[in-house]
Amino acid sequence: MSQANFLWAPQPVPSLPVRGSSQRAPVRRLFFVGRNYHAHAVEMGRPVDKSAERPFYFTKSLDTVVESGATVAYPSGTQNFHFEMELVVVIGKPGFQVPAARAHELIYGYACGLDMTRRDLQLIARDKGRPWDLGKDVEQSSVCSEVVPMPGVVLERGAIELAVNGQTRQKSDLDKLIWNIREIIEDLSQFYELQPGDLIYTGTPEGVGAVLPGDRIGGHVDGVGEVSLTIGPARAEHTARRAA
Ligand code: MN
């Protein structure tokens, strides 16, 4: 451990519980695949032609990681805070420019995630050709379940669902991913040397929608697990987020 004499306390490394283990998985980076289910791409007004396009990505700050089960404040600056239920791939080995046929070698396991989004700000940014950060890099917006170890396993099907206050809002299947897990790892690793602790949120199916303070979100992916989140009231002005 470094003996550096820091001016203020450095942010601790975010980490996630691991099913069946007393060890936690430290998180390194957060990658998100955009528009990776056809029906969601259509509801966003931007259909995808896989034969002519490649996947695209955005990233979020590590500081946005929140463990499943948390209550988060309704964020500032939005009137349209959306849920997006996603399968999360947990990378466990380094890999650069990995062919699809070897993509499984990088997989440590999976988790269930929520990519919480200021949809109004995301769409303004998108339509003006601006970066998505204010819409996507929202504090406490990268919700993640425990990590489920499945080394080398490539999930190809399985229901993915989300409910708000017990009412189903998203319901699809991993077999509807436009770019599947092998293809995502192959493509993303053209640009980044993937590393243990990198999380890849693989995109959300159709049915995204807004939540309000008091709402309780519950999602699951068959064969992986569950994720939950409660939306709390907006923070009062001029208050600092309580240290974890
Ligand atoms: Mn998403």
Side-chain angles (χ1 to χ4, degrees):
M1 194 59 202
S2 161
Q3 297 301 303
N5 182 14
F6 290 118
L7 187 56
W8 46 76
Q11 177 76 355
V13 175
S15 63
L16 297 166
V18 178
R19 185 181 294 171
S21 173
S22 59
Q23 294 185 300
R24 295 176 64 88
V27 181
R28 184 179 175 113
R29 287 177 293 192
L30 303 170
F31 296 105
F32 293 75
V33 183
R35 292 175 216 140
N36 204 19
Y37 289 81
H38 282 297
H40 173 62
V42 168
E43 77 181 347
M44 297 302 290
R46 295 286 194 280
V48 173
D49 175 1
K50 187 178 180 182
S51 69
E53 297 179 42
R54 289 182 69 174
F56 71 93
Y57 312 93
F58 56 91
T59 60
K60 296 195 192 188
S61 325
L62 263 190
D63 198 41
T64 62
V65 172
V66 168
E67 252 184 71
S68 176
T71 297
V72 303
Y74 191 89
S76 61
T78 184
Q79 306 291 322
N80 198 20
F81 189 44
H82 271 210
F83 53 80
E84 295 190 357
M85 177 67 204
E86 312 204 1
L87 173 71
V88 180
V89 180
V90 180
I91 298 296
K93 290 185 178 159
F96 181 58
Q97 300 185 337
V98 180
R102 298 189 60 181
H104 60 279
E105 296 173 10
L106 273 60
I107 296 172
Y108 176 78
Y110 296 89
C112 296
L114 299 170
D115 168 20
M116 300 301 294
T117 301
R118 288 181 179 112
R119 187 73 70 204
D120 40 3
L121 300 193
Q122 182 209 3
L123 295 184
I124 289 169
R126 184 191 75 181
D127 294 343
K128 290 181 181 293
R130 293 174 178 167
W132 286 12
D133 300 44
L134 293 181
K136 285 293 193 180
D137 190 30
V138 180
E139 291 174 335
Q140 300 185 289
S141 69
S142 302
V143 186
C144 199
S145 73
E146 65 179 351
V147 172
V148 183
M150 285 186 237
V153 174
V154 177
L155 293 181
E156 293 175 337
R157 60 190 61 79
I160 177 168
E161 298 187 8
L162 178 143
V164 179
N165 303 327
Q167 288 200 311
T168 300
R169 304 287 296 274
Q170 293 188 276
K171 188 175 173 62
S172 186
D173 195 285
L174 302 178
D175 67 7
K176 294 192 167 57
L177 284 167
I178 297 172
W179 285 279
N180 64 32
I181 290 163
R182 285 188 184 280
E183 291 168 328
I184 291 166
I185 290 173
E186 177 180 65
D187 189 78
L188 185 59
S189 72
Q190 304 306 306
F191 305 96
Y192 295 91
E193 181 174 13
L194 295 176
Q195 295 288 344
D198 287 343
L199 304 184
I200 307 172
Y201 284 64
T202 54
T204 195
E206 69 277 18
V208 299
V211 284
L212 292 169
D215 283 343
R216 305 172 78 89
I217 300 170
H220 78 268
V221 177
D222 280 2
V224 179
E226 300 184 343
V227 62
S228 66
L229 185 72
T230 300
I231 310 301
R235 282 167 51 194
E237 286 177 51
H238 303 306
T239 59
R241 177 154 38 114
R242 191 162 54 88

Short mmCIF file of all heavy atoms in Angstrom, two decimals, residues 32-35 40 58 84 86 115 117 119 136 201-204, ligand 1:
data_model
loop_
_atom_site.label_atom_id
_atom_site.label_comp_id
_atom_site.label_asym_id
_atom_site.label_seq_id
_atom_site.Cartn_x
_atom_site.Cartn_y
_atom_site.Cartn_z
N PHE A 32 -20.81 0.70 -21.03
CA PHE A 32 -22.24 0.50 -21.31
C PHE A 32 -22.42 0.41 -22.82
O PHE A 32 -21.94 1.28 -23.55
CB PHE A 32 -23.07 1.67 -20.78
CG PHE A 32 -23.07 1.74 -19.27
CD1 PHE A 32 -21.95 2.22 -18.58
CD2 PHE A 32 -24.17 1.34 -18.55
CE1 PHE A 32 -21.93 2.27 -17.20
CE2 PHE A 32 -24.16 1.39 -17.15
CZ PHE A 32 -23.04 1.85 -16.48
N VAL A 33 -23.12 -0.61 -23.29
CA VAL A 33 -23.44 -0.74 -24.70
C VAL A 33 -24.74 0.03 -24.95
O VAL A 33 -25.71 -0.13 -24.20
CB VAL A 33 -23.63 -2.22 -25.10
CG1 VAL A 33 -23.88 -2.34 -26.60
CG2 VAL A 33 -22.42 -3.04 -24.68
N GLY A 34 -24.75 0.86 -25.97
CA GLY A 34 -25.97 1.58 -26.35
C GLY A 34 -26.81 0.74 -27.28
O GLY A 34 -26.29 -0.08 -28.03
N ARG A 35 -28.13 0.93 -27.23
CA ARG A 35 -29.07 0.32 -28.21
C ARG A 35 -28.67 -1.10 -28.62
O ARG A 35 -28.22 -1.33 -29.73
CB ARG A 35 -29.12 1.17 -29.48
CG ARG A 35 -29.77 2.50 -29.27
CD ARG A 35 -29.68 3.36 -30.55
NE ARG A 35 -29.50 4.76 -30.20
CZ ARG A 35 -28.70 5.60 -30.85
NH1 ARG A 35 -28.03 5.21 -31.92
NH2 ARG A 35 -28.59 6.83 -30.44
N HIS A 40 -35.91 -1.82 -28.10
CA HIS A 40 -35.53 -0.60 -27.35
C HIS A 40 -35.00 0.46 -28.31
O HIS A 40 -35.32 1.65 -28.18
CB HIS A 40 -34.50 -0.91 -26.27
CG HIS A 40 -33.96 0.32 -25.60
ND1 HIS A 40 -34.75 1.18 -24.88
CD2 HIS A 40 -32.71 0.86 -25.57
CE1 HIS A 40 -34.02 2.19 -24.42
NE2 HIS A 40 -32.77 2.02 -24.83
N PHE A 58 -20.76 3.97 -24.06
CA PHE A 58 -20.42 5.12 -23.22
C PHE A 58 -19.87 4.56 -21.92
O PHE A 58 -19.98 3.35 -21.66
CB PHE A 58 -21.63 6.05 -23.00
CG PHE A 58 -22.84 5.39 -22.42
CD1 PHE A 58 -23.04 5.34 -21.04
CD2 PHE A 58 -23.79 4.80 -23.23
CE1 PHE A 58 -24.15 4.74 -20.50
CE2 PHE A 58 -24.91 4.18 -22.70
CZ PHE A 58 -25.10 4.15 -21.33
N GLU A 84 -33.18 1.33 -16.62
CA GLU A 84 -32.80 0.43 -17.72
C GLU A 84 -32.24 -0.84 -17.09
O GLU A 84 -31.18 -0.81 -16.45
CB GLU A 84 -31.72 1.07 -18.62
CG GLU A 84 -32.17 2.31 -19.36
CD GLU A 84 -31.17 2.77 -20.42
OE1 GLU A 84 -30.09 2.13 -20.54
OE2 GLU A 84 -31.47 3.75 -21.12
N GLU A 86 -30.32 -4.32 -17.14
CA GLU A 86 -29.27 -4.84 -18.02
C GLU A 86 -28.54 -6.04 -17.41
O GLU A 86 -28.35 -6.10 -16.19
CB GLU A 86 -28.24 -3.73 -18.32
CG GLU A 86 -28.93 -2.43 -18.73
CD GLU A 86 -28.11 -1.48 -19.57
OE1 GLU A 86 -26.94 -1.82 -19.87
OE2 GLU A 86 -28.65 -0.42 -19.91
N ASP A 115 -28.98 0.72 -15.33
CA ASP A 115 -28.31 1.90 -15.90
C ASP A 115 -29.29 3.06 -15.78
O ASP A 115 -30.05 3.33 -16.69
CB ASP A 115 -27.94 1.59 -17.36
CG ASP A 115 -27.51 2.81 -18.15
OD1 ASP A 115 -27.13 3.82 -17.52
OD2 ASP A 115 -27.55 2.73 -19.40
N THR A 117 -30.80 6.70 -15.70
CA THR A 117 -30.54 7.69 -16.76
C THR A 117 -31.42 8.92 -16.61
O THR A 117 -32.64 8.79 -16.44
CB THR A 117 -30.85 7.03 -18.13
OG1 THR A 117 -30.01 5.87 -18.29
CG2 THR A 117 -30.63 7.98 -19.28
N ARG A 119 -33.18 10.79 -18.70
CA ARG A 119 -33.52 10.62 -20.12
C ARG A 119 -33.70 11.96 -20.81
O ARG A 119 -33.30 12.11 -21.98
CB ARG A 119 -34.82 9.80 -20.26
CG ARG A 119 -35.15 9.44 -21.71
CD ARG A 119 -34.23 8.38 -22.25
NE ARG A 119 -34.50 7.10 -21.62
CZ ARG A 119 -33.60 6.10 -21.53
NH1 ARG A 119 -32.40 6.22 -22.05
NH2 ARG A 119 -33.92 4.98 -20.93
N LYS A 136 -26.16 10.42 -18.50
CA LYS A 136 -25.79 9.05 -18.14
C LYS A 136 -24.87 8.96 -16.92
O LYS A 136 -25.00 8.03 -16.12
CB LYS A 136 -25.12 8.37 -19.34
CG LYS A 136 -26.10 7.95 -20.45
CD LYS A 136 -27.03 6.83 -19.96
CE LYS A 136 -27.79 6.17 -21.09
NZ LYS A 136 -28.69 5.10 -20.58
N TYR A 201 -22.06 -3.30 -19.06
CA TYR A 201 -23.53 -3.32 -19.06
C TYR A 201 -23.96 -3.50 -20.52
O TYR A 201 -23.59 -2.70 -21.38
CB TYR A 201 -24.07 -2.01 -18.49
CG TYR A 201 -23.98 -1.88 -16.97
CD1 TYR A 201 -22.75 -1.83 -16.32
CD2 TYR A 201 -25.13 -1.76 -16.20
CE1 TYR A 201 -22.67 -1.69 -14.94
CE2 TYR A 201 -25.07 -1.62 -14.82
CZ TYR A 201 -23.83 -1.58 -14.19
OH TYR A 201 -23.77 -1.44 -12.82
N THR A 202 -24.71 -4.56 -20.78
CA THR A 202 -24.88 -5.02 -22.16
C THR A 202 -26.06 -4.39 -22.90
O THR A 202 -26.32 -4.75 -24.04
CB THR A 202 -25.02 -6.55 -22.21
OG1 THR A 202 -26.08 -6.94 -21.33
CG2 THR A 202 -23.72 -7.23 -21.78
N GLY A 203 -26.74 -3.44 -22.27
CA GLY A 203 -27.85 -2.78 -22.95
C GLY A 203 -29.19 -3.22 -22.38
O GLY A 203 -29.29 -4.26 -21.72
N THR A 204 -30.20 -2.39 -22.63
CA THR A 204 -31.51 -2.65 -22.02
C THR A 204 -32.55 -3.00 -23.07
O THR A 204 -32.50 -2.48 -24.19
CB THR A 204 -31.98 -1.41 -21.21
OG1 THR A 204 -33.06 -1.79 -20.34
CG2 THR A 204 -32.45 -0.28 -22.11
MN MN B 1 -28.23 1.31 -20.83
#
